[in-house]
Amino acid sequence: DAKTTQPPSMDCAEGRAANLPCNHSTISGNEYVYWYRQIHSQGPQYIIHGLKNNETNEMASLIITEDRKSSTLILPHATLRDTAVYYCIVRSYHSNYQLIWGAGTKLIIKP
Amino acid sequence: GAVVSQHPSRVICKSGTSVKIECRSLDFQATTMFWYRQFPKQSLMLMATSNEGSKATYEQGVEKDKFLINHASLTLSTLTVTSAHPEDSSFYICSARDRGQGITSEAFFGQGTRLTVV
């Protein structure tokens, strides 16, 4: 599966949109982009995933560039409870559903 | 979303003893479950893939005789840390996918088990 690159940390003011970037320049055509987050000392929580098109759900929006080499996770109105480590993962459905975890981005929401 | 329950959430055991961690999918069936280990300030590391009714597949460097995995039903997988040592102290997390969903559907995670070996 393709490797991802994320900034190690980011800050965002409460109430503002948090935009988390992810580079996956070696992504192949059958690989999906998944986003999870992990709040301290808890199991990871699924946020969103996509292949080509932008996706939106009740938690976030996922913007994937046309060449699919990068994506951005958007939390539209960040709250203090969104402070967590956010992981961007690319996975092929041929990989027996395994997720390979990078270091992620530590997002800190500040009041 | 679907719920994966992991038990216990915290356990302290003496060196040399064994500890069993359970992972249950509460409202779906999971043919495959995954076990991860996470050390402080590090990312998740896949230990093994647990397959219902067959042997688990272990990642390189993970001792199969030390970390026993049993996946006897479509809703339960267990990880037993045998002869635990202080270096086994870690955060253990399981995940599962709903076999009734598409192959690209998301995985759901348990809340994790904090193991401390003293």
Side-chain angles (χ1 to χ4, degrees):
Chain A
D1 291 330
K3 183 179 177 180
T4 62
T5 304
Q6 298 176 254
S9 64
M10 291 181 62
D11 292 346
C12 178
E14 187 179 17
R16 304 295 293 270
N19 297 279
L20 292 93
C22 179
N23 285 324
H24 31 80
S25 58
T26 58
I27 194 169
S28 60
N30 63 0
E31 289 183 316
Y32 285 70
V33 180
Y34 290 78
W35 283 83
Y36 286 81
R37 72 180 183 184
Q38 187 178 24
I39 295 170
H40 182 63
S41 294
Q42 296 183 23
Q45 177 189 22
Y46 165 79
I47 300 174
I48 200 167
H49 75 283
L51 181 63
K52 297 180 185 177
N53 300 322
N54 298 336
E55 302 287 343
T56 295
N57 62 22
E58 64 278 3
M59 288 183 69
S61 294
L62 173 60
I63 308 299
I64 302 174
T65 58
E66 193 168 341
D67 63 9
R68 302 210 320 124
K69 293 186 177 183
S70 65
S71 61
T72 301
L73 178 74
I74 301 173
L75 307 179
H77 304 288
T79 71
L80 298 179
R81 287 176 295 181
D82 292 321
T83 292
V85 178
Y86 287 76
Y87 295 96
C88 167
I89 302 166
V90 293
R91 177 177 74 77
S92 164
Y93 54 76
H94 295 301
S95 64
N96 194 25
Y97 321 128
Q98 293 176 6
L99 298 172
I100 308 300
W101 299 76
T105 295
K106 171 71 172 177
L107 175 66
I108 299 174
I109 307 300
K110 298 190 171 182
Chain B
V3 177
V4 173
S5 176
Q6 197 172 331
H7 178 81
S9 57
R10 287 181 176 273
V11 59
I12 300 173
C13 73
K14 291 184 177 180
S15 187
T17 62
S18 296
V19 173
K20 180 185 284 188
I21 303 169
E22 292 187 349
C23 179
R24 294 181 184 272
S25 55
L26 296 187
D27 50 1
F28 65 96
Q29 293 182 329
T31 309
T32 304
M33 292 185 176
F34 301 93
W35 287 96
Y36 296 85
R37 181 166 52 183
Q38 186 176 33
F39 292 106
K41 299 189 185 302
Q42 295 186 24
S43 190
L44 281 75
M45 292 294 294
L46 180 67
M47 298 176 66
T49 302
S50 169
N51 303 297
E52 186 267 337
S54 64
K55 291 182 180 180
T57 304
Y58 290 81
E59 296 299 301
Q60 192 172 10
V62 178
E63 300 175 58
K64 64 177 71 174
D65 294 330
K66 180 170 182 63
F67 298 99
L68 302 179
I69 291 173
N70 183 278
H71 192 155
S73 78
L74 287 171
T75 60
L76 173 65
S77 176
T78 60
L79 168 68
T80 302
V81 183
T82 63
S83 187
H85 288 101
E87 56 265 32
D88 297 324
S89 298
S90 188
F91 192 53
Y92 292 85
I93 308 169
C94 70
S95 77
R97 282 188 63 257
D98 184 345
R99 74 167 189 166
Q101 298 297 312
I103 57 175
T104 61
S105 65
E106 68 274 24
F108 299 97
F109 287 79
Q111 62 268 49
T113 297
R114 176 75 58 192
L115 170 64
T116 303
V117 184
V118 297

